Structure formats: structure tokens, C-alpha cells
Amino acid sequence: FIKLLLVIKEKSNNLDYQQRWFNSITETLAEGLYVMNIHGGIEYVNPMACTILGYEKKEFLGKCAHTLFHSHYINEHTPLKDCPIFKETIKNKVFYSSEEFFTCKDGTVIPVDISSKSIVKNKETTQIVTVFRNISEKKKDEKRMLLLTTALEASSNSIIITDKEAIVEWANPAF
């Protein structure tokens, strides 16, 4: 009986260690992470997801990610069953996109890089793990670069860019 108790205590200690280890990893990620069930209900969310989207952890748990913050305003409020993220992950495929949008608690809509995949928790339970990051600054930089490139290409002055060995890397049409 004592040996059985020692085995149970050791297994319990191992589970506690694994839980602390998992939490230390997910809580230090620079990306938002949430785990939802196959009905879209959020079962876990890391601190960065809370920071990015502006919600408290308790405001996420049990809520449907699709209706709480996944913004489909661009495609006419797609229902969960037709959501591309949900449809792909339910088929056990990885979904990746830089063209999705999330709505923050304050109403701000942000573009996100997103990666989502289903995992089997146990034989009867499937969950969907999603990692995302706010790419607002990246999108602004891309717009600025496009604007500058367009301006340089439209210039009537000859413009050329070379590397340090004087090899031409870019030239506008006027050149």
C-alpha cells in the first residue's frame, strides 16, 4: 500500500512539473496562443493573446473565438462552420495565413499572422491550437515600401541602387 502511494505521489509530482514546464513556455511566447474545442470554445489562452487583444483571461475562457474576436467583416461575417481556419483544422490540416483579421476588445481590427492545427488530446477529444501575432506594423511598412517604390518608378529622374561592389540591384524605368 505504501509503495502504491509513493508511485502515485511520484506521478503527481511529474504531472505538476510538466504543467509548470508547459506554462513557463506558453507564458513567455511573443505570440498569442489559444486552444479551443471543436465547437470553437476557448479552453486555454496565454498572456500574450490577452495583451494583443485586450481581454482578460476570464473573458476568453468558454467563449467562441470565432464570434469573440475573429473578424470576418471583410467576407460578410462568415459562420463558424464556413470559417476557413475552422474548416481546415477540423480536417486535421495546418492552416496558415497572413490575411486574417482579429478584432480587439476596444474595437480595433488588426491583421494577424496565424497558424492553426488540430491535435488529439485523448482518443475522444480533439482540440485546435492557434498561434498568432499582430502584423499591423509589418503591413504599414509594406504599404510605405509600395508607396516609395511607386514614387521612385514614376520619377522622371534616373535612379539606380547598387550594392557596395557597384552591382546594380534596382533601377527605375527612367534610368
Side-chain angles (χ1 to χ4, degrees):
F1 179 74
I2 292 176
K3 188 171 183 166
L4 179 61
L5 286 176
L6 289 173
V7 168
I8 291 171
K9 181 164 177 48
E10 182 181 336
K11 290 201 182 275
S12 176
N13 287 342
N14 284 340
L15 284 173
D16 287 344
Y17 170 78
Q18 287 178 356
Q19 183 66 41
R20 286 191 310 276
W21 177 76
F22 171 78
N23 286 340
S24 69
I25 291 171
T26 61
E27 291 180 5
T28 58
L29 286 174
E31 290 84 19
L33 176 134
Y34 62 94
V35 178
M36 59 185 181
N37 59 36
I38 60 168
H39 305 292
I42 299 171
E43 297 181 347
Y44 173 82
V45 63
N46 77 339
M48 187 53 75
C50 297
T51 300
I52 293 170
L53 296 174
Y55 289 94
E56 301 276 330
K57 187 174 186 171
K58 65 183 177 198
E59 293 176 288
F60 279 110
L61 300 178
K63 303 287 187 338
C64 180
H66 184 78
T67 55
L68 183 64
F69 57 84
H70 187 193
S71 182
H72 281 287
Y73 74 94
I74 297 171
N75 53 11
E76 301 174 4
H77 306 285
T78 304
L80 177 63
K81 68 179 179 55
D82 296 327
C83 174
I85 300 169
F86 193 75
K87 283 172 67 173
E88 290 300 304
T89 54
I90 287 300
K91 294 182 213 170
N92 205 24
K93 294 182 180 176
V94 175
F95 179 88
Y96 176 80
S97 176
S98 293
E99 303 298 323
E100 293 296 324
F101 295 87
F102 284 175
T103 303
C104 300
K105 184 177 179 178
D106 68 4
T108 305
V109 177
I110 59 170
V112 292
D113 245 346
I114 184 171
S115 179
S116 196
K117 179 166 182 9
S118 63
I119 59 169
V120 177
K121 184 177 179 182
N122 57 45
K123 292 177 185 176
E124 297 148 12
T125 307
T126 298
Q127 293 179 310
I128 299 168
V129 177
T130 301
V131 177
F132 68 96
R133 85 177 87 128
N134 180 348
I135 57 171
S136 296
E137 289 304 313
K138 178 182 172 187
K139 292 288 188 180
K140 284 180 191 173
D141 290 345
E142 287 172 357
K143 272 184 155 176
R144 263 190 298 262
M145 285 298 289
L146 181 60
L147 178 64
L148 291 172
T149 302
T150 303
L152 290 172
E153 287 175 350
S155 175
S156 58
N157 295 324
S158 295
I159 302 170
I160 184 171
I161 299 173
T162 66
D163 65 12
K164 64 183 179 182
E165 282 86 33
I167 296 173
V168 175
E169 291 185 345
W170 183 87
N172 72 341
F175 180 78

